[in-house]
Every structure is written in structure tokens, then in C-alpha cells.
Amino acid sequence: MTKVAVGADHGGYVLKNRVISTLKDLGAEVVDFGCDSAEISVDYPEYGLKVANAVASGKCDVGVIMCGTGIGISIAANKVKGIRAAVVTNTYMAKLTKNHNNANIIALGGRVISEDEAEAIVRAWYTAEYEGGRHQRRLDMISRAEDENFK
Ligand code: RB5
């Protein structure tokens, strides 16, 4: 069973329950790293890093993170070696970021997309396949940059 780490700040919290129910409907096991309220202001790096570390360590297979725009929390997640976190705003991006980038985390914006859009995006990303081939050469370039720059 695919294990999916989920995390959000207060700006992304509005999407989190729908994302969790969608993932469960797709057959995933979900690990919820919080937060637990849209009302209390928290810091998105905490939640992005918790999810990214769970994925990079192998404790979870992939992740979904959410903040107001998806941007801040993706920037934080991408500071963890081995993470390819992609901000996604539509189903085309969701499918392509699995096909081409093998994104192991997607980032959604609670102030950018609706719950229905979030569900469609999660379904498109989760069910898409990485195509490998020429795309692997490009991911290998990114991995080498991590080896050189992440000490
Ligand atoms: C929090 O107000 C907001 O800055 C955060 O959710 C996110 O949008 C940052 O990128």
C-alpha cells in the first residue's frame, strides 16, 4: 500500500481533509503531519520539512503539502535532499509532473484552488506514471547538483 505523508499550514488547511479522503479513496495509507486548524497561524516550513523528511527517509513513499499558495511550503520541502516538490494548479501539471519530473511531493494552494480542483489534481498525479527514458537523464542531473551543493 502506498504511504502518503500529508501536511499543511493554516493557509492550506482548508484543502487537507479533502486531500486525505481522496488519497484514502485511491487506496493509499495516509500519515497526517498537521496542522489542525485554519484559525491558528503556524509556520509552513515546519510542515513542509516534516513531510519532506518522511519521504526522503523512506518512511513514506510520496507526499502532498499545502499552504496559501503552495509556494512557500514547496520551497521548504525542496531543501531536503531527494525531494522533487512541484507546485501544481491544474490536472495537466499534476499528470506531467509525475510523467516527466517523477515529483515525489505535490504542493497545493488553499487560496489558489478549490477543494474540487485539489481532488482532481491529487487523482491525476497519484494515478499517473513516471515515463523514465530521457527524463531520467534530467533527474540524474538534479541529483548530481544535490550531491555537489547539499553538504
Ligand atoms: C501564510 O499566510 C502564507 O504565507 C503561507 O500559507 C504560504 O502561502 C506561503 O507561501
Side-chain angles (χ1 to χ4, degrees), residues 78-100:
N78 279 315
K79 298 302 177 192
V80 175
K81 191 173 180 181
I83 293 304
R84 294 177 301 280
V87 180
V88 173
T89 58
N90 59 50
T91 55
Y92 180 75
M93 294 168 76
K95 178 178 179 296
L96 267 287
T97 202
K98 178 69 83 59
N99 292 162
H100 292 187

Side-chain angles (χ1 to χ4, degrees), residues 8-13 41-45 66-75 108-112:
D9 78 351
H10 55 289
Y13 180 78
S41 180
V42 295
D43 298 323
Y44 60 78
M66 294 147 275
C67 67
T69 59
I71 295 171
I73 201 162
S74 72
I75 292 171
L108 310 177
R111 297 170 186 158
V112 178

